[in-house]
Amino acid sequence: MNEANKKITINDIKAKKGKEKIVAITAYDALMAGIFDGEGDIILVGDSLKMSFGGENETLGATMEEMLYHTKAVCKGASKAFIIADMPFGSYSTKEMALKNALRFYKESKADAIKLEVGLDKAEIVRALCNEGIAVMAHIGLMPQYARFEGGFKVKGKIDSQIKTLLDTAVAMQESGAFGILCEGIKSEIAESITQRLSIPTIGIGAGVACDGQILVWSDVFGFFDAFKPKFVRRYCDGKKLLKEAIKSYARDIRNESFPSSQESY
Ligand code: KIV
């Protein structure tokens, strides 16, 4: 198998730390996963699908069945990327629940790893998953699953107590066996300290350029979601405008009977 067709493994991801930036993006279906596959390293089946795909304003409603359905689809569409499945809100509240649900991702899909939103209190859960042979990415900082509890999506690392908690949590997750840390909405200099302190890679979203890699939600990257643009998003195309123009042309052609043509008919 040549390098271009090679499946990216956890060892490839870990080996990039300090050498080469890790490229990550979300996807929720086989079609998009197939387009992204081979261009980056990681595809995350994020519970952000409830917002960017499901039209909700938070992620809390995601269920195990939904996350499994989308993870299976992404695994079908991507043969090279390292695929991470997001554990939905309420699916890892205890060690037993976390094990039962994480094992479902491993048994029912081809996901390479799972991701959990964690504080220090989740270190033992992460350790239990890793002991069972499940690769864990620990998500720290702004944790969308805590949006109701915290009254919104709050950037972290602005005050001393938060800075210490972030560093302690990142170190505890590494010690518990996590293979990587997702840093969301963290002041850049704090994400940089975390990245320097750890031997495992950090993937940032709204956490500055020093992280070992970057991730964005696909509908933000390609301009399909335009209700608002978070400061950390860079758009690489105006997907919504492109599709709007295309659907208008399609509707026009049906109405004026130029579609289907005789070549498009039996
Ligand atoms: O659910 C998700 O897509 C995420 C990203 C915001 C990193 O966790």
Side-chain angles (χ1 to χ4, degrees):
M1 191 181 274
N2 68 31
E3 276 302 297
N5 290 328
K6 206 175 138 261
K7 166 81 183 167
I8 296 170
T9 68
I10 190 168
N11 299 327
D12 299 319
I13 302 293
K14 290 201 274 192
K16 284 183 190 279
K17 182 160 180 101
K19 294 199 181 80
E20 200 187 318
K21 290 285 181 178
I22 299 165
V23 177
I25 191 163
T26 67
Y28 316 119
D29 59 78
L31 190 65
M32 286 298 152
I35 295 171
F36 304 156
D37 199 31
E39 305 301 334
D41 305 297
I42 294 176
I43 295 180
L44 169 70
V45 191
D47 60 0
S48 56
L49 66 84
K50 287 308 270 188
M51 298 173 76
S52 55
F53 206 81
E56 295 186 14
N57 63 1
E58 56 174 20
T59 61
L60 279 75
T63 64
M64 273 302 295
E65 301 315 316
E66 287 170 340
M67 295 309 299
L68 277 163
Y69 171 84
H70 288 280
T71 302
K72 284 184 211 173
V74 167
C75 293
K76 288 241 166 73
S79 59
K80 299 172 206 124
F82 185 80
I83 297 169
I84 306 179
D86 227 354
M87 298 275 289
F89 178 66
S91 68
Y92 52 98
S93 311
T94 64
K95 216 184 274 187
E96 292 70 29
M97 286 171 82
L99 273 172
K100 178 169 164 267
N101 288 317
L103 283 168
R104 284 194 71 191
F105 279 110
Y106 261 37
K107 283 181 175 290
E108 295 176 39
S109 82
K110 294 267 188 284
D112 297 295
I114 53 101
K115 172 170 86 60
L116 326 167
E117 295 183 13
V118 298
L120 267 177
D121 59 312
K122 293 279 192 295
E124 282 316 304
I125 290 182
V126 170
R127 188 182 300 279
L129 294 174
C130 296
N131 285 345
E132 209 59 32
I134 296 162
V136 177
M137 171 162 276
H139 180 152
I140 66 169
L142 187 165
M143 294 187 284
Q145 292 180 5
Y146 287 74
R148 280 192 212 169
F149 184 77
E150 295 184 347
F153 299 101
K154 307 286 183 199
V155 172
K156 298 287 159 53
K158 292 181 172 171
I159 53 175
D160 287 350
S161 59
Q162 281 179 359
I163 298 171
K164 181 170 167 16
T165 306
L166 284 168
L167 281 163
D168 289 350
T169 307
V171 170
M173 292 304 141
Q174 174 171 289
E175 284 170 358
S176 300
F179 76 93
I181 305 286
L182 191 137
C183 297
E184 177 165 3
I186 296 179
K187 293 280 288 175
S188 304
E189 56 275 23
I190 311 307
E192 183 169 6
S193 306
I194 294 170
T195 302
Q196 284 169 356
R197 181 90 168 265
L198 300 181
S199 57
I200 56 173
T202 58
I203 311 288
I205 173 163
V209 75
C211 292
D212 296 303
Q214 298 292 329
I215 185 164
L216 284 175
V217 169
W218 82 263
S219 47
D220 289 334
V221 178
F222 304 116
F224 286 97
F225 181 79
D226 69 349
F228 60 92
K229 190 178 93 60
K231 179 182 162 93
F232 58 82
V233 167
R234 186 181 292 180
R235 283 194 188 135
Y236 286 85
C237 74
D238 194 346
K240 184 169 174 181
K241 187 160 167 254
L242 281 172
L243 280 195
K244 265 284 182 203
E245 281 161 10
I247 184 71
K248 278 183 196 301
S249 303
Y250 175 63
R252 180 203 57 217
D253 290 355
I254 291 175
R255 290 189 183 113
N256 68 19
E257 296 187 9
S258 65
F259 175 81
S261 64
S262 54
Q263 288 89 340
E264 289 158 330
S265 305
Y266 293 105

Short mmCIF file of all heavy atoms in Angstrom, two decimals, residues 195-233:
data_model
loop_
_atom_site.label_atom_id
_atom_site.label_comp_id
_atom_site.label_asym_id
_atom_site.label_seq_id
_atom_site.Cartn_x
_atom_site.Cartn_y
_atom_site.Cartn_z
N THR A 195 0.33 22.76 25.54
CA THR A 195 0.98 22.03 24.44
C THR A 195 2.44 21.74 24.77
O THR A 195 2.94 20.64 24.53
CB THR A 195 0.86 22.85 23.13
OG1 THR A 195 -0.53 23.07 22.89
CG2 THR A 195 1.47 22.15 21.94
N GLN A 196 3.12 22.75 25.37
CA GLN A 196 4.54 22.56 25.70
C GLN A 196 4.73 21.57 26.85
O GLN A 196 5.69 20.82 26.90
CB GLN A 196 5.17 23.90 26.08
CG GLN A 196 5.43 24.76 24.85
CD GLN A 196 5.80 26.19 25.19
OE1 GLN A 196 5.79 26.59 26.35
NE2 GLN A 196 6.09 26.98 24.16
N ARG A 197 3.75 21.59 27.77
CA ARG A 197 3.86 20.76 28.97
C ARG A 197 3.63 19.27 28.69
O ARG A 197 4.18 18.40 29.37
CB ARG A 197 2.80 21.29 29.94
CG ARG A 197 2.71 20.62 31.26
CD ARG A 197 3.62 21.31 32.29
NE ARG A 197 3.27 20.79 33.61
CZ ARG A 197 2.42 21.40 34.43
NH1 ARG A 197 1.87 22.55 34.10
NH2 ARG A 197 2.14 20.85 35.59
N LEU A 198 2.83 18.97 27.66
CA LEU A 198 2.42 17.58 27.42
C LEU A 198 3.30 16.87 26.39
O LEU A 198 3.83 17.51 25.48
CB LEU A 198 0.97 17.53 26.93
CG LEU A 198 -0.12 18.11 27.84
CD1 LEU A 198 -1.48 17.94 27.19
CD2 LEU A 198 -0.10 17.47 29.22
N SER A 199 3.34 15.54 26.51
CA SER A 199 4.03 14.77 25.46
C SER A 199 3.02 14.25 24.43
O SER A 199 3.41 13.69 23.40
CB SER A 199 4.79 13.61 26.07
OG SER A 199 3.90 12.81 26.81
N ILE A 200 1.72 14.39 24.70
CA ILE A 200 0.69 13.99 23.72
C ILE A 200 0.23 15.23 22.95
O ILE A 200 0.34 16.36 23.46
CB ILE A 200 -0.52 13.28 24.41
CG1 ILE A 200 -1.13 14.17 25.50
CG2 ILE A 200 -0.10 11.93 24.96
CD1 ILE A 200 -2.42 13.60 26.10
N PRO A 201 -0.29 15.04 21.72
CA PRO A 201 -0.67 16.21 20.92
C PRO A 201 -1.93 16.93 21.42
O PRO A 201 -2.82 16.31 22.00
CB PRO A 201 -0.92 15.62 19.53
CG PRO A 201 -0.96 14.16 19.67
CD PRO A 201 -0.40 13.77 21.00
N THR A 202 -1.95 18.24 21.15
CA THR A 202 -3.14 19.05 21.41
C THR A 202 -3.72 19.46 20.06
O THR A 202 -2.97 19.79 19.13
CB THR A 202 -2.80 20.33 22.21
OG1 THR A 202 -1.82 21.09 21.47
CG2 THR A 202 -2.24 20.00 23.58
N ILE A 203 -5.04 19.43 19.97
CA ILE A 203 -5.72 19.90 18.76
C ILE A 203 -6.57 21.09 19.20
O ILE A 203 -7.38 20.96 20.13
CB ILE A 203 -6.68 18.81 18.18
CG1 ILE A 203 -6.00 17.45 18.05
CG2 ILE A 203 -7.29 19.28 16.87
CD1 ILE A 203 -5.00 17.32 16.96
N GLY A 204 -6.39 22.22 18.55
CA GLY A 204 -7.08 23.43 18.99
C GLY A 204 -8.26 23.81 18.12
O GLY A 204 -8.29 23.55 16.92
N ILE A 205 -9.24 24.43 18.77
CA ILE A 205 -10.32 25.13 18.05
C ILE A 205 -10.57 26.39 18.87
O ILE A 205 -10.98 26.32 20.03
CB ILE A 205 -11.58 24.24 17.86
CG1 ILE A 205 -12.73 25.06 17.26
CG2 ILE A 205 -12.02 23.52 19.11
CD1 ILE A 205 -13.88 24.23 16.66
N GLY A 206 -10.21 27.53 18.30
CA GLY A 206 -10.28 28.76 19.07
C GLY A 206 -9.28 28.74 20.21
O GLY A 206 -9.57 29.22 21.31
N ALA A 207 -8.09 28.18 19.97
CA ALA A 207 -7.09 28.07 21.04
C ALA A 207 -5.70 28.48 20.54
O ALA A 207 -4.69 28.14 21.15
CB ALA A 207 -7.07 26.64 21.59
N GLY A 208 -5.65 29.21 19.43
CA GLY A 208 -4.38 29.75 18.94
C GLY A 208 -3.56 28.77 18.12
O GLY A 208 -3.87 27.58 18.03
N VAL A 209 -2.47 29.32 17.57
CA VAL A 209 -1.68 28.60 16.56
C VAL A 209 -0.68 27.62 17.17
O VAL A 209 -0.12 26.77 16.46
CB VAL A 209 -0.99 29.62 15.62
CG1 VAL A 209 0.20 30.30 16.31
CG2 VAL A 209 -0.58 28.99 14.31
N ALA A 210 -0.44 27.72 18.48
CA ALA A 210 0.63 26.88 19.08
C ALA A 210 0.21 25.43 19.27
O ALA A 210 1.07 24.56 19.50
CB ALA A 210 1.07 27.47 20.41
N CYS A 211 -1.09 25.14 19.19
CA CYS A 211 -1.53 23.74 19.38
C CYS A 211 -0.87 22.87 18.31
O CYS A 211 -0.49 23.35 17.24
CB CYS A 211 -3.05 23.65 19.27
SG CYS A 211 -3.89 24.44 20.64
N ASP A 212 -0.81 21.57 18.58
CA ASP A 212 -0.16 20.65 17.63
C ASP A 212 -0.98 20.45 16.36
O ASP A 212 -0.47 19.94 15.37
CB ASP A 212 0.08 19.30 18.31
CG ASP A 212 1.05 19.43 19.48
OD1 ASP A 212 2.18 19.91 19.25
OD2 ASP A 212 0.68 19.08 20.60
N GLY A 213 -2.26 20.79 16.43
CA GLY A 213 -3.10 20.68 15.24
C GLY A 213 -4.31 21.59 15.39
O GLY A 213 -4.48 22.24 16.43
N GLN A 214 -5.12 21.63 14.37
CA GLN A 214 -6.32 22.49 14.39
C GLN A 214 -7.52 21.69 13.89
O GLN A 214 -7.38 20.83 13.00
CB GLN A 214 -6.14 23.71 13.47
CG GLN A 214 -5.01 24.63 13.85
CD GLN A 214 -5.24 25.39 15.16
OE1 GLN A 214 -6.38 25.69 15.53
NE2 GLN A 214 -4.16 25.68 15.87
N ILE A 215 -8.69 22.02 14.43
CA ILE A 215 -9.93 21.43 13.94
C ILE A 215 -10.98 22.53 13.79
O ILE A 215 -10.97 23.50 14.56
CB ILE A 215 -10.46 20.31 14.90
CG1 ILE A 215 -11.69 19.64 14.30
CG2 ILE A 215 -10.76 20.85 16.30
CD1 ILE A 215 -12.04 18.29 14.94
N LEU A 216 -11.84 22.39 12.79
CA LEU A 216 -13.01 23.26 12.66
C LEU A 216 -14.19 22.39 12.26
O LEU A 216 -14.03 21.27 11.76
CB LEU A 216 -12.79 24.36 11.62
CG LEU A 216 -11.91 25.56 12.01
CD1 LEU A 216 -11.71 26.49 10.81
CD2 LEU A 216 -12.47 26.36 13.19
N VAL A 217 -15.39 22.93 12.44
CA VAL A 217 -16.62 22.24 12.04
C VAL A 217 -16.82 22.50 10.54
O VAL A 217 -16.71 23.64 10.08
CB VAL A 217 -17.80 22.80 12.88
CG1 VAL A 217 -19.14 22.33 12.34
CG2 VAL A 217 -17.63 22.38 14.35
N TRP A 218 -17.11 21.44 9.79
CA TRP A 218 -17.05 21.56 8.32
C TRP A 218 -17.99 22.62 7.76
O TRP A 218 -17.66 23.33 6.81
CB TRP A 218 -17.26 20.21 7.64
CG TRP A 218 -18.67 19.74 7.45
CD1 TRP A 218 -19.35 18.89 8.26
CD2 TRP A 218 -19.58 20.10 6.40
NE1 TRP A 218 -20.61 18.69 7.77
CE2 TRP A 218 -20.78 19.42 6.64
CE3 TRP A 218 -19.49 20.92 5.28
CZ2 TRP A 218 -21.90 19.55 5.81
CZ3 TRP A 218 -20.60 21.05 4.45
CH2 TRP A 218 -21.78 20.38 4.71
N SER A 219 -19.19 22.74 8.36
CA SER A 219 -20.14 23.71 7.81
C SER A 219 -19.68 25.15 8.05
O SER A 219 -20.09 26.07 7.33
CB SER A 219 -21.53 23.47 8.41
OG SER A 219 -21.43 23.32 9.81
N ASP A 220 -18.80 25.35 9.04
CA ASP A 220 -18.19 26.68 9.24
C ASP A 220 -17.10 26.90 8.20
O ASP A 220 -17.02 27.98 7.58
CB ASP A 220 -17.54 26.77 10.63
CG ASP A 220 -18.57 26.83 11.76
OD1 ASP A 220 -19.70 27.28 11.51
OD2 ASP A 220 -18.23 26.44 12.88
N VAL A 221 -16.26 25.87 7.98
CA VAL A 221 -15.12 26.01 7.06
C VAL A 221 -15.61 26.35 5.65
O VAL A 221 -15.00 27.16 4.95
CB VAL A 221 -14.32 24.69 7.00
CG1 VAL A 221 -13.16 24.80 6.01
CG2 VAL A 221 -13.81 24.29 8.36
N PHE A 222 -16.72 25.74 5.25
CA PHE A 222 -17.17 25.91 3.87
C PHE A 222 -18.35 26.87 3.71
O PHE A 222 -18.98 26.94 2.65
CB PHE A 222 -17.47 24.54 3.25
CG PHE A 222 -16.26 23.65 3.34
CD1 PHE A 222 -16.27 22.50 4.09
CD2 PHE A 222 -15.08 24.02 2.71
CE1 PHE A 222 -15.13 21.71 4.22
CE2 PHE A 222 -13.93 23.24 2.84
CZ PHE A 222 -13.96 22.09 3.58
N GLY A 223 -18.63 27.63 4.77
CA GLY A 223 -19.60 28.72 4.66
C GLY A 223 -21.04 28.28 4.47
O GLY A 223 -21.83 28.99 3.85
N PHE A 224 -21.40 27.11 5.01
CA PHE A 224 -22.80 26.69 4.94
C PHE A 224 -23.59 27.23 6.12
O PHE A 224 -24.79 27.43 6.04
CB PHE A 224 -22.92 25.16 4.87
CG PHE A 224 -22.53 24.63 3.52
CD1 PHE A 224 -21.26 24.13 3.29
CD2 PHE A 224 -23.42 24.66 2.47
CE1 PHE A 224 -20.89 23.68 2.04
CE2 PHE A 224 -23.06 24.20 1.21
CZ PHE A 224 -21.79 23.71 1.00
N PHE A 225 -22.88 27.41 7.23
CA PHE A 225 -23.53 27.96 8.43
C PHE A 225 -23.17 29.43 8.49
O PHE A 225 -22.01 29.79 8.65
CB PHE A 225 -23.02 27.22 9.68
CG PHE A 225 -23.67 27.71 10.94
CD1 PHE A 225 -24.94 27.27 11.29
CD2 PHE A 225 -23.02 28.61 11.77
CE1 PHE A 225 -25.56 27.74 12.45
CE2 PHE A 225 -23.63 29.07 12.93
CZ PHE A 225 -24.89 28.63 13.28
N ASP A 226 -24.18 30.30 8.31
CA ASP A 226 -23.84 31.73 8.29
C ASP A 226 -24.68 32.56 9.26
O ASP A 226 -24.73 33.78 9.16
CB ASP A 226 -23.92 32.29 6.86
CG ASP A 226 -25.35 32.35 6.34
OD1 ASP A 226 -26.25 31.79 7.00
OD2 ASP A 226 -25.57 32.99 5.29
N ALA A 227 -25.35 31.87 10.22
CA ALA A 227 -26.17 32.62 11.19
C ALA A 227 -25.25 33.57 11.97
O ALA A 227 -25.62 34.71 12.26
CB ALA A 227 -26.87 31.65 12.12
N PHE A 228 -24.05 33.10 12.30
CA PHE A 228 -23.03 33.96 12.90
C PHE A 228 -21.68 33.30 12.63
O PHE A 228 -21.63 32.11 12.31
CB PHE A 228 -23.24 34.17 14.40
CG PHE A 228 -23.21 32.90 15.21
CD1 PHE A 228 -22.03 32.43 15.77
CD2 PHE A 228 -24.37 32.17 15.41
CE1 PHE A 228 -22.00 31.24 16.49
CE2 PHE A 228 -24.35 30.98 16.14
CZ PHE A 228 -23.16 30.52 16.68
N LYS A 229 -20.61 34.09 12.71
CA LYS A 229 -19.27 33.53 12.47
C LYS A 229 -18.42 33.73 13.71
O LYS A 229 -18.03 34.87 14.03
CB LYS A 229 -18.61 34.19 11.26
CG LYS A 229 -17.33 33.47 10.84
CD LYS A 229 -16.69 34.08 9.60
CE LYS A 229 -15.64 35.11 9.92
NZ LYS A 229 -14.49 34.65 10.70
N PRO A 230 -18.14 32.64 14.44
CA PRO A 230 -17.26 32.80 15.60
C PRO A 230 -15.90 33.36 15.17
O PRO A 230 -15.46 33.10 14.04
CB PRO A 230 -17.11 31.37 16.15
CG PRO A 230 -18.23 30.60 15.55
CD PRO A 230 -18.56 31.25 14.24
N LYS A 231 -15.25 34.12 16.07
CA LYS A 231 -13.96 34.76 15.78
C LYS A 231 -12.92 33.77 15.26
O LYS A 231 -12.10 34.08 14.39
CB LYS A 231 -13.48 35.37 17.10
CG LYS A 231 -12.15 36.08 17.12
CD LYS A 231 -11.91 36.55 18.56
CE LYS A 231 -10.46 36.88 18.83
NZ LYS A 231 -10.12 38.26 18.62
N PHE A 232 -12.96 32.51 15.76
CA PHE A 232 -11.90 31.55 15.41
C PHE A 232 -12.12 30.85 14.08
O PHE A 232 -11.27 30.08 13.63
CB PHE A 232 -11.76 30.49 16.52
CG PHE A 232 -13.03 29.73 16.79
CD1 PHE A 232 -13.39 28.65 16.00
CD2 PHE A 232 -13.87 30.10 17.82
CE1 PHE A 232 -14.55 27.94 16.25
CE2 PHE A 232 -15.05 29.41 18.07
CZ PHE A 232 -15.40 28.33 17.29
N VAL A 233 -13.26 31.12 13.41
CA VAL A 233 -13.56 30.40 12.16
C VAL A 233 -12.94 31.13 10.97
O VAL A 233 -13.02 32.35 10.87
CB VAL A 233 -15.09 30.29 11.96
CG1 VAL A 233 -15.43 29.85 10.54
CG2 VAL A 233 -15.69 29.32 12.98
#
